[in-house]
Amino acid sequence: MSRSNTVVVKIGSTLVANSDRLTPRFGFMQRLLDDIARLRDRGTNVILCSSGAVALGLKTVGETPESAGISDKQAAAACGMPLLTNAYKQIGHEYGIEIAQVLLTLGDFEDHRRFLNTRNTVFRLMEAGVMPIVNENDSITTEEIRVGDNDRLAAKVAQMVDARDFIILTEVDGLYDRHPDEEGAKFIEEVTDVAPFMEATKGKSTLGTGGMTTKLMAANIAQEAGVTTYIAHGEVDHPLTSILDGERRCTRFVAHEDAASGWESWIANRLQMAGSLRVSNEVAEELIDGDRAVMRADIKGIDGEFTRGDVLHIYDEDGIERARGLSDFTSEELRVLAVNPHLDAEQLLGYKTKGEIVRSKNLVSLVKRHLRWDLPEGTSDPTI
């Protein structure tokens, strides 16, 4: 599959589920599948990332969006997913579109082997002419292990398949420089860097788990992978082709020309922090060119419990995130090494090692266009 013929589409809950009756909005789904059929006729592969399962199942478990807790939403997802899939399947048959459901969890993105396995499955479906409908597996996930929003999940799918375009359909027509209800709010047609707009995007919808903030985070992930992103209103006759053909207003997030490799994108674009390190400002500067490893003597602070192969966020002494990379040690091993800097690593761990915490080939320096994460509170000094 080439980048030139794959489009990932994310649909918000408010477009799929009626907010009052908590039933499928068949009119919207009909228009969406009709337009997907148009794209497929053009030779474009489409992957659909659709929210709505939780909303559609709430009535079955006797809850509302306001009253439902985590276990209620998990049960609602189990009830709503067949309703959502069946609705898409019935409408898809009208256009000769076969669909397949792909349920994912955080681990499918954060574990590289599972990431590649998922990628292979999605490619095989598209080769067979089947449209994948991807969802987070809400029926088994909890707040601690879930992706958290289908916006970022869809962006990771776009990264995974080297998509050309990533379209987020929602209940607003795009990004504004402040809340759109505020007087003087200005519509933003094109964005190269999402960072300046993050503070203007607070709030979320009643049915969904994410607001404009998560959409900007998703756009950033896609941009880094070389994918052009669009945010637009979903309530039009041709919601997808009208965007791609430039026929209506939307916000376009320009793909970076010097896109990161698949390996670099997987390391840099995380959905959850496994652990973090703090190093001196001098070491942080030396990490910029990507040729320097992080050594045991560089460690000033450690946070989190992690295993070998987890991605660590690396901060300088001022609490600014400077890089991300794969750990060669568990958090327990690393703390032992850090508090005993003058003892031989083999003596401490029982096996030979060069003491490279993060190898240079497994480290990605964060350039300005990356969204940096805040330093976790209470990051401990390894000497304590």
Side-chain angles (χ1 to χ4, degrees), residues 136-156:
E136 184 169 13
N137 195 352
D138 290 310
S139 63
I140 65 170
T141 53
T142 65
E143 291 299 328
E144 290 74 24
I145 63 172
R146 71 195 308 269
V147 174
D149 59 81
N150 275 334
D151 297 320
R152 291 189 301 155
L153 180 147
K156 291 291 286 185

Side-chain angles (χ1 to χ4, degrees), residues 52-242:
V54 173
L56 294 178
L58 285 173
K59 184 183 292 185
T60 305
V61 297
E63 298 290 342
T64 66
E66 295 77 18
S67 67
I70 293 177
S71 61
D72 301 321
K73 291 178 180 179
Q74 290 174 319
C79 296
M81 187 58 69
L83 299 175
L84 180 67
T85 305
N86 186 56
Y88 278 123
K89 197 170 188 66
Q90 286 186 0
I91 299 171
H93 277 315
E94 297 181 30
Y95 300 97
I97 300 175
E98 292 292 339
I99 70 168
Q101 182 184 65
V102 180
L103 295 178
L104 303 175
T105 64
L106 179 69
D108 296 315
F109 292 105
E110 305 294 70
D111 182 276
H112 196 246
R113 179 179 295 180
R114 290 163 64 180
F115 181 89
L116 293 178
N117 287 340
T118 303
R119 184 176 188 268
N120 291 338
T121 297
V122 172
F123 277 148
R124 183 65 185 89
L125 289 170
M126 290 193 293
E127 288 171 0
V130 179
M131 183 178 72
I133 299 184
V134 180
N135 301 90
E136 184 169 13
N137 195 352
D138 290 310
S139 63
I140 65 170
T141 53
T142 65
E143 291 299 328
E144 290 74 24
I145 63 172
R146 71 195 308 269
V147 174
D149 59 81
N150 275 334
D151 297 320
R152 291 189 301 155
L153 180 147
K156 291 291 286 185
V157 171
Q159 171 201 332
M160 177 188 294
V161 301
D162 300 321
R164 179 194 67 202
D165 299 297
F166 172 38
I167 300 175
I168 302 176
L169 294 183
T170 183
E171 66 272 18
V172 296
D173 53 358
L175 175 67
Y176 289 79
D177 64 348
R178 67 194 76 175
H179 194 286
D181 292 338
E182 293 185 23
E183 185 177 353
K186 180 182 177 182
F187 184 78
I188 307 299
E189 294 185 355
E190 187 170 281
V191 176
T192 56
D193 182 6
V194 305
F197 300 100
M198 292 300 291
E199 286 302 315
T201 60
K202 305 302 181 184
K204 64 181 182 180
S205 66
T206 302
L207 291 180
T209 58
M212 189 58 73
T213 298
T214 63
K215 290 171 178 55
L216 291 191
M217 294 169 69
N220 181 253
I221 290 173
Q223 283 180 300
E224 286 297 311
V227 183
T228 298
T229 301
Y230 303 86
I231 296 179
H233 207 295
E235 289 290 0
V236 296
D237 286 339
H238 304 297
L240 306 178
T241 55
S242 60

Side-chain angles (χ1 to χ4, degrees), residues 9 40 48 81 94 184 196 224 242 311 371:
V9 181
R40 286 165 62 95
L48 189 60
M81 187 58 69
E94 297 181 30
E224 286 297 311
S242 60
V311 174
L371 289 177

